[in-house]
Amino acid sequence: MSRSLRDRMFQEMQDKDIFEQARDYAYEYANTVQERTVFPSSKTLEQLKELDGQMPSAPGNPQHLLEELHRFGSPATVAQTGGRYFGLVNGGVIPASLAARWLSDFWDQNTPLYVTSPVVSQLEHTTERWLKRLLGLPDAIVAGFVSGSSMAILCGLAAGRYRLFKNQGWDINEQGFCGAPKINIVAGRHAHGTVIKAAALLGFGVANIQWVDCDDQGRIDIDKIPPLDQQTLLILQAGNVNSGAFDDFSIICKRAKEAGSWVHVDGAFGLWAAASERLKHLTQGMEDANSFSVDGHKTLNTPYDNGIVLCNDEDALVKALQASGSYILYNEKRDGMMYTPEMSRRARVVELWAALKYLGESGVDELVYGLHEKAVEFSLALEEEGFQILNKVVFNQILVGFKDDHCTHRIIEHIQRSGECWVGGGSWEDKAVIRISVCSWATTKEDIARSVRAFVAARDAVPGASP
Ligand SMILES: *Cc1c(COP(=O)(O)O)cnc(C)c1O
């Protein structure tokens, strides 16, 4: 690297200029995001082509780069932190958690080992302990901090795969699938797409999944679960991605434990119900499961890139995920890479720790229960306007149905284009539906009232949609 470029970068790191510039843009964004259309306007989308230039042939000016990013990039974001975004299951962001992330960005830690980042090792240790208490999970549980539930599910199923094979005298790491004994993988028909992907990635084969029918809320039908044994990997869910429903853990997990099966609970957003006094009945009995996956970035409202795998069999999780290399210096203190598939990782536990530290136990309860309360309020207001709610709003998800799929699609389009709020579609019992996920602390009563008005306006504009 040329002397001059290095000198410039030293200067930029020491001067506050570009960081203050970025901070000013960020504040401006945060202060205007509520008033913006939730989805970017077509004009701002059109202007995205301004970012599509050639790669510069030589080093440029950081101020200009930031200016360009803010000018064309910020308006083309989805206003997900603003309180009227109800698509997918996307959380907002807790300010203290975001600020902690900013600080840790300057640390730029790599976090595989204690020796690469003692502070992150400590925060992972502490956060693991807090999570167990908060979610009512046994002491034997260990946590791995990963990018999201997709990865957490993969880790949980990999641990289960390792253990079930090992119990049959087969080392799946060494011997692979060729000639392996049989493992039955069992899931409800409503299992999330990432569960199916994980089963495929782990070599089980999607066609080998034994699908179990579900009830009208998307809960696995207990009587239809095949006989459980030591060769069964059973996948349950805490929070159906459409209806928000929870499987009946108290009966199933107990039965599975007695049979020696492995149970994984996909609780991407729903596991947090366990942290709320008034909602924890939904997760009752799940503590007997073997592995769990949950996101920080959904219900808990940490910034993105925050998932957790929890497992009661440390040996299985570590054996399933471990890597080796002569330069790896393990420590008796926590080495985070033992519990994740990644080696180099950013310090994502920082914002999870910060969210929990900031909220405290009662704050988490308030956040989680608040999302439920807002969802109930939203669904009642819609019903009052004559909309049909298709699910029991047990958590934060609402499904709205119309006469026919065509109407539903037109209404979704209309709402999305209005910019007033954003809702997505899905399918429920072979019918198109509108999915509403109340998942941000920032959603107010006024946001809900305004969104309901957008629903009414959309229905009025679509011929044949009125009841
Ligand atoms: C979102 C979600 C996932 C996937 O989680 P990511 O964090 O997006 O990887 C898995 N299962 C359920 C039920 C979900 O809602």
Side-chain angles (χ1 to χ4, degrees):
M1 180 180 294
S2 71
R3 179 75 190 270
S4 67
L5 181 56
R6 194 178 58 225
D7 286 352
R8 266 179 57 186
M9 289 203 274
F10 267 126
Q11 204 60 45
E12 282 154 6
M13 207 67 203
Q14 265 145 30
D15 291 350
K16 292 187 194 152
D17 298 3
I18 56 173
F19 299 108
E20 281 184 347
Q21 187 187 350
R23 190 191 60 184
D24 290 346
Y25 291 153
Y27 289 167
E28 187 187 316
Y29 183 83
N31 291 327
T32 53
V33 73
Q34 259 96 355
E35 285 113 64
R36 268 194 38 187
T37 59
V38 177
F39 197 78
S41 68
S42 32
K43 185 164 155 257
T44 53
L45 294 178
E46 182 62 25
Q47 286 182 332
L48 277 175
K49 66 175 185 298
E50 300 292 336
L51 297 173
D52 193 32
Q54 294 298 327
M55 180 164 168
S57 55
N61 177 314
Q63 276 100 349
H64 291 173
L65 160 172
L66 287 169
E67 203 268 329
E68 185 177 311
L69 186 64
H70 183 51
R71 175 138 61 107
F72 300 114
S74 295
T77 56
V78 170
Q80 162 176 310
T81 55
R84 280 175 284 111
Y85 184 86
F86 305 108
L88 284 82
V89 186
N90 281 7
V93 69
I94 293 172
S97 180
L98 182 57
R101 177 171 175 160
W102 274 17
L103 174 59
S104 72
D105 279 344
F106 272 73
W107 298 348
D108 192 29
Q109 297 289 278
N110 187 18
T111 70
L113 301 169
Y114 175 81
V115 294
T116 63
S117 184
V119 59
V120 167
S121 169
Q122 179 64 57
L123 291 176
E124 288 197 354
H125 174 80
T126 306
T127 304
E128 175 186 273
R129 186 161 53 75
W130 289 359
L131 284 170
K132 283 190 270 191
R133 187 182 144 85
L134 191 64
L135 301 172
L137 296 173
D139 275 345
I141 295 259
V142 291
F145 299 96
V146 294
S147 54
S149 279
S150 303
M151 194 53 93
I153 291 166
L154 185 75
C155 297
L157 299 191
R161 183 181 74 157
Y162 177 84
R163 178 55 67 218
L164 292 176
F165 276 122
K166 196 70 185 167
N167 286 346
Q168 297 182 70
W170 189 265
D171 184 335
I172 189 71
N173 287 344
E174 290 293 326
Q175 295 166 281
F177 266 106
C178 210
K182 188 160 166 48
I183 297 291
N184 305 314
I185 177 156
V186 180
R189 286 198 190 281
H190 280 258
H192 194 266
T194 53
V195 167
I196 300 168
K197 176 161 82 176
L201 279 169
L202 290 168
F204 286 114
V206 177
N208 294 319
I209 299 175
Q210 297 178 39
W211 298 108
V212 184
D213 288 341
C214 293
D215 69 9
D216 64 346
Q217 298 299 309
R219 287 174 302 210
I220 205 164
D221 185 337
I222 297 179
D223 299 328
K224 300 251 172 76
I225 297 175
L228 297 169
D229 57 25
Q230 293 179 347
Q231 279 143 271
T232 303
L233 177 46
L234 173 63
I235 300 154
L236 301 178
Q237 58 185 355
N240 177 297
V241 76
N242 290 314
S243 70
F246 291 68
D247 287 334
D248 188 344
F249 304 114
S250 48
I251 295 177
I252 308 170
C253 292
K254 192 152 165 276
R255 209 187 274 174
K257 194 176 177 180
E258 282 162 12
S261 305
W262 184 284
V263 177
H264 179 84
V265 177
D266 170 15
F269 62 97
L271 212 73
W272 296 104
S276 164
E277 276 306 314
R278 284 167 288 183
L279 294 174
K280 68 181 184 194
H281 62 94
L282 295 167
T283 58
Q284 200 186 343
M286 72 160 183
E287 59 279 2
D288 280 333
N290 304 85
S291 55
F292 308 81
S293 41
V294 58
D295 278 321
H297 54 221
K298 291 180 178 173
T299 312
L300 190 66
N301 283 220
T302 68
Y304 264 87
D305 187 47
N306 213 298
I308 309 141
V309 56
L310 297 152
C311 183
N312 72 357
D313 184 339
E314 178 170 6
D315 183 54
L317 187 69
V318 170
K319 290 272 171 46
L321 303 176
Q322 74 183 0
S324 55
S326 58
Y327 64 98
I328 299 174
L329 302 169
Y330 289 114
N331 198 281
E332 68 276 10
K333 297 260 181 29
R334 181 187 168 94
D335 291 314
M337 68 174 268
M338 307 280 283
Y339 310 97
T340 71
E342 296 157 298
M343 183 176 271
S344 298
R345 285 180 307 152
R346 61 177 206 85
R348 59 171 68 97
V349 75
V350 170
E351 52 261 31
L352 180 58
W353 171 86
L356 298 175
K357 176 95 176 169
Y358 171 72
L359 292 170
E361 291 181 0
S362 76
V364 175
D365 190 337
E366 232 180 276
L367 169 68
V368 175
Y369 193 74
L371 299 177
H372 170 61
E373 272 184 320
K374 289 271 150 43
V376 170
E377 192 179 320
F378 204 149
S379 68
L380 292 176
L382 285 170
E383 271 181 333
E384 209 149 284
E385 290 291 348
F387 289 92
Q388 196 194 358
I389 308 300
L390 301 178
N391 65 318
K392 291 190 192 124
V393 183
V394 295
F395 199 51
N396 68 329
Q397 302 291 113
I398 309 167
L399 300 176
V400 189
F402 296 90
K403 277 183 212 137
D404 62 69
D405 290 3
H406 181 68
C407 272
T408 310
H409 294 306
R410 298 269 326 263
I411 289 174
I412 292 172
E413 251 173 55
H414 202 280
I415 294 171
Q416 291 178 348
R417 232 180 312 118
S418 77
E420 287 289 288
C421 66
W422 204 94
V423 292
S427 104
W428 186 252
E429 298 191 326
D430 298 325
K431 249 186 82 158
V433 290
I434 300 185
R435 292 176 69 251
I436 302 173
S437 178
V438 182
C439 211
S440 171
W441 63 266
T443 299
T444 62
K445 275 182 183 302
E446 175 46 35
D447 286 324
I448 290 172
R450 199 167 149 184
S451 302
V452 171
R453 287 198 293 275
F455 268 75
V456 172
R459 185 179 58 191
D460 290 349
V462 174
S466 295

